[in-house]
Amino acid sequence: MSEVVIRTRNLTKEYVRDEFHVVALKNANMEVHRGEFIALMGPSGSGKSTLLHLSAAMDRPTTGDIEVLGSALNQLSDSDIAKWRNRHVGFIFQSFNLIPVLTALENVELPLKLTHLKKGERVQHAATALKLVGLGDRLGHYPRQLSGGQEQRVAIARAIVTDPDILLCDEPTGNLDARSATEVLTLLSTLN
C-alpha cells in the first residue's frame, strides 16, 4: 500500500451566521494515497468544496482531525499554515481566480513571489509551467484575451508552478464547454 497523503477522521465543518447554523461537512473519513487521481462526487451542498478547502488548509475544521502529507493541520499556527500550503499544495479554483490586470505569465508567477527565487528564475519557472499546459505562445496575454479553456490552463499552470506535492481542484471543468473540459481533464491526468 502506498503512502497516505490525506487522512481525515470525523472531520466536521459548521458555519454559524446570525441565526443560521449550517453543517457543511459532518464526520467525514477519508484516505488518499500517493499517486491516486480521485474525484469527489455528490450533489451541490454536500461538502465537496468544504473538504477540498480543509485539505488545502484554506479553512479550519470545527471538529475532527485532518493530516496532509504527515502534518496535522489543526495543530499548525496561521503563519505555519501559509508556509506549509505554499510549499505543498496547488489549488485550482472553478472560477479561475486570475487577476485581470496581470498577464498569463504574471498570474502564474504570483505564488513564486513567496519563495526565495529571484525575478529571472520566477519568470523562467512561470514560462515553463505555461509551456507545460500548452500556452507557451500566450505568456503576454491578459485573461480577457483568452478563452475559458485557456484561462483554466493558466490557473493550472499557476497551481503547478511551485511543484506542489498535491494538486486539489474544485470543479476544474465546471465553467468550460465539453471540448475544453476534456482537454483540462486530459492535462490533469497527464500531470498526475
Side-chain angles (χ1 to χ4, degrees), residues 14 96 112 150 159:
E14 300 177 9
F96 316 139
L112 295 174
Q150 290 171 329

Side-chain angles (χ1 to χ4, degrees), residues 109-137:
E109 182 194 0
L110 271 179
L112 295 174
K113 291 190 175 198
L114 299 174
T115 69
H116 65 280
L117 296 174
K118 294 183 169 91
K119 173 73 174 167
E121 294 171 309
R122 292 194 314 258
V123 168
Q124 183 180 8
H125 282 277
T128 299
L130 283 163
K131 287 174 191 164
L132 227 127
V133 300
L135 293 176
D137 60 341

Side-chain angles (χ1 to χ4, degrees), residues 30-177:
M30 172 180 79
E31 282 189 359
V32 178
H33 295 87
R34 184 165 300 285
E36 283 188 312
F37 186 84
I38 65 167
L40 300 175
M41 297 178 69
S44 180
S46 63
K48 301 178 303 291
S49 293
T50 300
L51 183 56
L52 286 174
H53 285 109
L54 291 170
S55 297
M58 295 165 65
D59 204 353
R60 294 200 183 256
T62 306
T63 60
D65 297 308
I66 182 164
E67 185 178 300
V68 182
L69 299 166
S71 295
L73 299 185
N74 24 353
Q75 295 177 7
L76 297 177
S77 69
D78 289 344
S79 65
D80 287 340
I81 284 279
K83 292 173 195 166
W84 177 90
R85 185 184 319 110
N86 195 55
R87 196 174 316 122
H88 297 292
V89 177
F91 200 94
I92 301 169
F93 298 89
Q94 177 182 0
S95 59
F96 316 139
N97 284 356
L98 300 179
I99 298 175
V101 296
L102 299 180
T103 64
L105 184 71
E106 292 165 334
N107 267 286
V108 174
E109 182 194 0
L110 271 179
L112 295 174
K113 291 190 175 198
L114 299 174
T115 69
H116 65 280
L117 296 174
K118 294 183 169 91
K119 173 73 174 167
E121 294 171 309
R122 292 194 314 258
V123 168
Q124 183 180 8
H125 282 277
T128 299
L130 283 163
K131 287 174 191 164
L132 227 127
V133 300
L135 293 176
D137 60 341
R138 299 285 195 269
L139 304 182
H141 286 67
Y142 292 91
R144 70 181 176 279
Q145 298 171 313
L146 301 170
S147 70
Q150 290 171 329
E151 284 185 276
Q152 189 61 304
R153 285 193 268 154
V154 171
I156 292 169
R158 182 185 55 203
I160 65 169
V161 73
T162 60
D163 194 24
D165 296 309
I166 59 173
L167 188 59
L168 300 170
C169 312
D170 192 1
E171 296 190 43
T173 61
N175 288 328
L176 302 177
D177 60 68

